[in-house]
Amino acid sequence: MYSKDISLSNLGNIAVGKTCLDKGVNIIYGPNANGKTNFLESIYICSTGRSHRTKNDRELVRFGENEAHIRVNIQNESSSDRIDAHIRSKDRKGIAVNGIPLKKSSELFGTLYTVIFSPEDLSLIKDSPSQRRRFIDIELCQLSRVYCHSLQQYMKVLKQRNNLLKNIQKDHRLKDTLFVWDKQLVEFGTKIIQFREKFVADLSEKASLRHRQISSSMEELSIIYMPSSEGSSFEEKLLSSVERDIFMGSTSHGPHRDDAVFNINGNDVRIYGSQGQQRTAAVSAKLAEIDIINEEAGIKPVLLLDDVLSELDKKRQHMLMDCISEIQTIITCTGIEDAVMGYAGRAAVFNVDNGVIKREK
């Protein structure tokens, strides 16, 4: 799978432009705040229906404009698809595949597989559990519509339950209706837990292999799923924490409080690891994402590297580049770093200046 070409208008710092991409490495360089990240962002939006850096669609539209448009043509082994995204500053965005509008952005998952790696992802290990849950959820949503549906429903039910808990504080008689939401929360939450258990086990196995490559077999990485509640005990924990939940006005147990622990040689990297070890673990996890998509979907995803090479030392830069030579990779950077210089001769190189993207010879 690869992106053949991208057409943009009024997206962030990019006013208008169309760019044809190569199947292999594509290097996009230029000064900051000129549109490099917006270019990568456009592909990610057409893959997941959302930006990797903001939840507010208004921030995606070029200043002074009311709407932005994205069109990405993608090619698989035996078929091609066109994805159009229409982003409005004062309304919901619209997305269509091959001219057919989607009712929900989540219906987009599985059309274009991507793995994005930005400087923020290097903090995956030491950031809050919500970042690690987001990492897991985005990957699983790309691979399974059942998971995506279960997650959406779970979050809706969770919101309703939390609202009810706050109302029970004012009228305790409403407590008798809590079981309605508990039943649904357990139903969807159990499915989420099962999916996450399998995914993290696969991720750990593949990330461990990648980590051995990067660390020259000097370190052993493992990733452990830490559910707030085991599937079999979820309902029991909900019942036992009812009074506490009512007092707090929020649900204290469930997949919305899950976490994952990254260990190197048996030690928690978040606590005991150096910054270099934390970044190596994050790189290994991202490379493992590629392996899982390739195995589960039978498709090599598009890899998006958003100015991440400048955050890695030279050894990790070269290790990362050596691992991604067989998939379409789009790299943004302020200049042509040594790590990509060796690829420049056979890569498509683009310069971005004041929102204009030009391919260099």
Side-chain angles (χ1 to χ4, degrees):
M1 170 178 284
Y2 67 96
S3 302
K4 292 193 298 183
D5 57 71
I6 303 170
S7 300
L8 301 172
S9 64
N10 297 327
L11 185 76
N13 292 315
I14 299 176
V16 64
K18 180 176 181 179
T19 305
C20 295
L21 298 171
D22 279 9
K23 295 181 182 180
V25 177
N26 297 267
I27 302 169
I28 302 170
Y29 77 97
N32 290 326
N34 273 253
K36 301 189 306 294
T37 293
N38 297 134
F39 185 83
L40 248 63
E41 191 171 39
S42 68
I43 302 173
Y44 192 72
I45 290 170
C46 287
S47 170
T48 65
R50 70 196 72 184
S51 165
H52 69 290
R53 63 177 185 85
T54 179
K55 295 179 181 180
N56 189 346
D57 285 348
R58 286 178 294 180
E59 295 180 14
L60 303 176
V61 180
R62 184 176 173 85
F63 182 76
E65 302 292 338
N66 294 320
E67 55 188 41
H69 293 86
I70 307 168
R71 172 172 289 180
V72 175
N73 287 301
I74 59 176
Q75 183 66 48
N76 295 308
E77 288 187 3
S78 58
S79 63
S80 59
D81 292 295
R82 187 186 81 241
I83 303 172
D84 292 278
H86 183 192
I87 303 168
R88 308 172 182 90
S89 60
K90 297 181 180 180
D91 199 357
R92 295 180 61 185
K93 62 176 166 281
I95 299 177
V97 176
N98 299 324
I100 301 174
L102 304 182
K103 294 180 180 178
K104 299 178 181 178
S105 295
S106 59
E107 295 176 4
L108 186 60
F109 285 116
T111 307
L112 171 61
Y113 290 93
T114 59
V115 171
I116 192 165
F117 198 8
S118 66
E120 292 76 21
D121 291 313
L122 290 170
S123 301
L124 172 69
I125 311 301
K126 60 182 180 181
D127 273 357
S128 66
S130 63
Q131 290 298 103
R132 290 182 283 281
R133 287 195 299 271
R134 183 176 182 274
F135 165 70
I136 293 169
D137 288 341
I138 289 175
E139 182 61 34
L140 276 170
C141 282
Q142 287 196 84
L143 292 170
S144 172
R145 295 196 175 187
V146 173
Y147 180 85
C148 188
H149 173 74
S150 298
L151 181 63
Q152 288 176 329
Q153 295 304 309
Y154 178 88
M155 297 309 294
K156 287 180 182 178
V157 173
L158 178 65
K159 183 178 180 180
Q160 295 289 345
R161 186 181 195 267
N162 287 343
N163 287 337
L164 178 58
L165 290 170
K166 293 180 178 68
N167 289 329
I168 293 173
Q169 293 173 349
K170 303 171 186 176
D171 185 353
H172 213 69
R173 292 173 297 180
L174 294 172
K175 183 180 176 181
D176 293 337
T177 64
L178 198 58
F179 78 94
V180 176
W181 303 113
D182 287 359
K183 182 179 179 181
Q184 295 181 65
L185 208 65
V186 170
E187 176 188 351
F188 294 115
T190 301
K191 291 179 182 178
I192 291 170
I193 293 168
Q194 291 170 347
F195 270 100
R196 286 180 179 175
E197 282 178 341
K198 181 182 183 303
F199 173 77
V200 174
D202 290 346
L203 183 72
S204 179
E205 179 182 350
K206 291 173 173 57
S208 177
L209 293 174
R210 291 294 193 175
H211 193 269
R212 285 191 208 119
Q213 289 178 306
I214 298 174
S215 67
S216 302
S217 299
M218 302 259 321
E219 297 174 342
E220 188 70 29
L221 173 69
S222 62
I223 307 172
I224 302 170
Y225 177 47
M226 303 291 288
S228 166
S229 303
E230 300 288 346
S232 58
S233 65
F234 185 18
E235 185 173 13
E236 181 181 332
K237 285 194 173 183
L238 278 179
L239 291 173
S240 64
S241 61
V242 166
E243 294 303 326
R244 180 181 183 277
D245 288 357
I246 292 172
F247 178 76
M248 299 297 295
S250 63
T251 304
S252 54
H253 294 285
H256 61 288
R257 295 189 179 276
D258 286 354
D259 198 358
V261 175
F262 289 69
N263 291 332
I264 290 182
N265 297 336
N267 296 316
D268 188 339
V269 187
R270 183 177 64 86
I271 301 172
Y272 301 105
S274 66
Q275 186 178 65
Q277 286 177 315
Q278 291 173 351
R279 291 185 170 189
T280 302
V283 170
S284 300
K286 283 292 178 177
L287 292 173
E289 272 193 272
I290 298 171
D291 297 333
I292 290 174
I293 291 175
N294 191 17
E295 183 178 287
E296 295 288 328
I299 292 173
K300 292 180 179 179
V302 178
L303 178 62
L304 309 173
L305 299 179
D306 188 12
D307 202 23
V308 74
L309 292 176
S310 61
E311 301 292 326
L312 300 172
D313 59 36
K314 288 187 177 181
K315 178 183 177 181
R316 290 177 177 84
Q317 286 178 352
H318 288 293
M319 286 290 189
L320 178 59
M321 293 301 296
D322 288 343
C323 291
I324 61 176
S325 58
E326 296 183 356
I327 65 174
Q328 184 182 46
T329 304
I330 303 171
I331 302 168
T332 64
C333 50
T334 53
I336 307 296
E337 285 98 339
D338 291 342
V340 297
M341 186 63 75
Y343 289 85
R346 59 186 177 87
V349 179
F350 303 85
N351 177 247
V352 181
D353 188 22
N354 290 322
V356 178
I357 303 173
K358 292 183 179 179
R359 182 166 182 163
E360 297 186 346
K361 294 182 180 180

